[in-house]
Amino acid sequence: MDESTAESIANALAAVQAAVASNPEAAIPKSYSLGFDAQPEFPEQKLQLQDLHDANAENLEANITAQPEFQIVPQADSQAQPTVAAAIESNTNNGVGIKRSRPEDEEEDEQDGWQKVERKKSKKKQKKLPKSDGSHYPSISFNYNAKLQAKVSLDQLRNLILYIFAEGTAPQWVSISNRPQFRKIVTLMVPGLEEAMFKMDVDFSTYQNEPRSSEKSRVMTSPDDYYPRLLKKEELPEVLQPFAEMFPHLWPIKTPGNEKFGNLRSPLHTMLTAPQEKSAEEKNKKGQGVQPAREPSGWKDQRTRITEYLMNPEDFVPNGYTLHPALIDNADRRAEFRDEEGWVHTNVQNLSDGDVPESEIQQGAITAGREVLALDCEMCMTGPAEFSLTRVSLLSWDGTVILDELVKPDKPIVDYVTQFSGITKQMLDPVTTTLKDIQARLIDLLHPRTILVGHSLDSDLKALRLTHPFIVDTALLYPHNRGPPLKNSLKFLSQRFLKREIQKGSQGHSPIEDAKACLDLVKQKCEKGKSWGAHEQQGENLFRRLTRMGTSYRANGGIEALGGAVLGKSSVMVDWGDPMKGAGAAATWRVGCQNDDEVVQGVLRATKGDPVAEEIPYGGADFVFARFRELEALQGWWNRNRISPESEVPGPPDVSDLTGSNGTASAVSPLEACLQRLTARLKYIHESLPPCTALIIFSGSGDPREMSRLQAQQAQFKREYNTPGSKWDELSVKWTDAEDQALKKAVGMARNGIAFIGVK
């Protein structure tokens, strides 16, 4: 710095010090800087700094800033003039300056005389995509250190999506690198795709003719082979070789089900239902008994009439109920109906007799004009595996006890089971009321507009030897998490949903207490809606969970998401028919299709967005779920029982339309032609996906046809066997131990699905 500049700086500082000395009551600030856009004036000696303007301004500002810090503030007296009436701006790094108010800001000037000015910070651009061959590119690969004890389940596959885009524990069966770099996840369900199709020597012309019961023909891996199979192009059939270009492994996947009870959970529902989140309080109370039910996030009550929960006629026999004659469809059989010996039925001729005109229903009444009675019975043993009625209780809707009677069985009691029934010999010795007396009283009390409420009422009605067509069973209203035939106990339901302890101690159950619990459970169900306590309430829709808890990072959410932020993830459901009819209703956008070609276009639209953002914005959605169904139809896996004339879901396409031969002879089989088109569609989608996109393809299940056939046979057998007046040796179908074992095996086959996981 030359001498003239140094001298100018010294003069400026001397002038400031003189100004401060003339007003010693002024506070001393920490910093200031001089600018030359305005010429500051001191009231006492109008110091002009114009001669400094010609000097080196940059050096001047730099050196002034380096000097000891000063502060110039207005006096406490608002009427007094400030010591320095110049515009002084801070040149500090925080971007905040102090300047003198403009003359026109007199109102602000009278308040404090100074104002802070925030300098706009330039926004940083979103982070660029990492290079595909770089160390920051996202990946999903098999964890070779994993010790798999079972096949990867469909639930684990769904939880992989939740871990990448929302929350959850990191999966142990795969290694996920650079999770924040994932931009999208595309999940495609392809029913009909089987592991055995990926054998080198597979003959597609005879593939569908192989016996359904032959497990070896459909499943390549042994039950103990839980690890993924490495895909090699030269070891695959020609039509499926592109899979080796898109994915490194074929994963065996286990669909939820139960061979013991012969059932299979819906793969689509399993994939699109996220497990219910546990609160911090619930996690801390783990192992401390039944936790009370809580409303899921965003829950809204939907008041529902009790008539919506009445058992359907077709549900009576499968759940162990004896049919009332009003439930028999055939008029001739109904006319010939006779009660079994000792049984009676209520005076209901037709189901329509219970209907109540809307004009007679009080507005908002959940009983819908019906009389609701809660029933519970206690039984004692009168022989090996034989129970007889010893007490019956009947409560009205408001909890009033209408009937509470002890009953003397016709046979001598061999075990009072007091710890459960609460009945003792001393209680029954003076009783003279018989079962026929109770039946007569109930026939008078139960009319066509009466609804009976209870828990597993089939056992109570069998003890009463009575039938009634209008039943609400709490064991069915609140189904078991693992599905039928498992049922929740009334004690568990009371603890979870009513926060009430019943059936305590060793004195036995109280039928009045149990009937009251059933009433309260039904009332709660009516107030909250059909989803309360049902399977849907045990989990949360996957689309809704991603919208609510979807986590973004700086790579895909900008600077605001640095370190991870819950910003929500958009989603699209692409499916045949109207996706609004199912789980897709919770997706951000929905795309309905009529064939697999439209599904391909829907997936591309969902990932890229509409051309001018008519509905789906540019850039597309974060999560896309789609289902291909032509292979499912060709394989015969399509569930035709769910197709109805009023349904908007289209039926399966004509198999002849899937061969692509247009009625002429083809060199390839229909199955091979269908697989060829499917592979081409999947490859086209894979090539069109943007970088950093996870792609998951899964079949959902194995071949369900044999399982479905045996389940239908079992249902037919139960229906005929439980029909009053039927003879077991005259049934159209039989169900023996051989059929039971065949069903278990068929369920095991149906549970074997496959999946492919990769990153574009």
Side-chain angles (χ1 to χ4, degrees), residues 569-582:
K569 295 291 186 182
S570 59
S571 57
V572 176
M573 175 71 170
V574 184
D575 198 6
W576 285 51
D578 183 8
M580 277 293 293
K581 298 297 182 180

Side-chain angles (χ1 to χ4, degrees), residues 121-141:
K121 297 180 180 179
S122 60
K123 292 185 177 180
K124 295 184 178 180
K125 295 182 179 180
Q126 187 173 339
K127 198 171 182 180
K128 296 182 179 179
L129 288 170
K131 296 182 179 180
S132 59
D133 57 349
S135 59
H136 297 291
Y137 203 81
S139 66
I140 306 175
S141 57

Side-chain angles (χ1 to χ4, degrees), residues 342-512:
W343 282 72
V344 296
H345 63 268
T346 55
N347 297 320
V348 182
Q349 301 299 322
N350 299 289
L351 294 180
S352 58
D353 295 345
D355 296 340
V356 179
E358 285 293 329
S359 58
E360 299 181 19
I361 301 176
Q362 184 179 359
Q363 185 177 4
I366 58 178
T367 56
R370 309 288 284 267
E371 182 183 20
V372 182
L373 302 177
L375 175 69
D376 191 69
C377 299
E378 298 298 339
M379 285 80 77
C380 296
M381 294 188 69
T382 55
E386 181 183 4
F387 290 85
S388 297
L389 179 72
T390 53
R391 184 178 178 181
V392 57
S393 299
L394 197 66
L395 274 64
S396 65
W397 180 251
D398 61 2
T400 302
V401 178
I402 296 178
L403 177 68
D404 185 26
E405 291 278 352
L406 292 172
V407 183
K408 190 87 167 185
D410 296 334
K411 297 180 180 181
I413 297 175
V414 298
D415 189 351
Y416 286 88
V417 286
T418 305
Q419 69 272 25
F420 300 111
S421 67
I423 305 297
T424 62
K425 183 178 185 300
Q426 293 76 13
M427 294 172 62
L428 287 183
D429 280 345
V431 174
T432 59
T433 304
T434 64
L435 175 61
K436 289 185 177 180
D437 297 332
I438 295 299
Q439 288 177 336
R441 293 192 62 179
L442 290 176
I443 292 297
D444 292 336
L445 289 172
L446 304 180
H447 51 80
R449 293 188 178 181
T450 302
I451 295 176
L452 276 181
V453 169
H455 188 80
S456 296
L457 264 181
D458 57 306
S459 60
D460 298 289
L461 294 177
K462 286 176 181 176
L464 289 166
R465 297 187 180 181
L466 179 141
T467 61
H468 187 66
F470 304 117
I471 302 293
V472 174
D473 193 336
T474 53
L476 304 180
L477 283 189
Y478 295 85
H480 196 281
N481 284 345
R482 291 164 57 189
L486 299 179
K487 294 182 179 180
N488 292 312
S489 67
L490 182 60
K491 180 180 179 69
F492 169 81
L493 294 179
S494 297
Q495 290 174 325
R496 179 160 178 78
F497 294 98
L498 302 178
K499 301 179 182 179
R500 183 188 305 171
E501 291 288 342
I502 64 172
Q503 302 173 355
K504 297 186 296 183
S506 58
Q507 301 303 314
H509 301 174
S510 167
I512 295 178

Side-chain angles (χ1 to χ4, degrees), residues 24 50 71 114 123-124 134 173 184 196 258 287 339 358 380 390 433 458 519 558 631-632 645 676 727 737:
Q50 185 63 36
Q71 181 177 6
W114 303 93
K123 292 185 177 180
K124 295 184 178 180
W173 49 284
K184 299 177 186 295
N258 194 314
D339 285 312
E358 285 293 329
C380 296
T390 53
T433 304
D458 57 306
L519 272 179
L631 179 61
E632 177 186 14
Q676 190 174 17
K727 298 181 179 179
D737 184 65

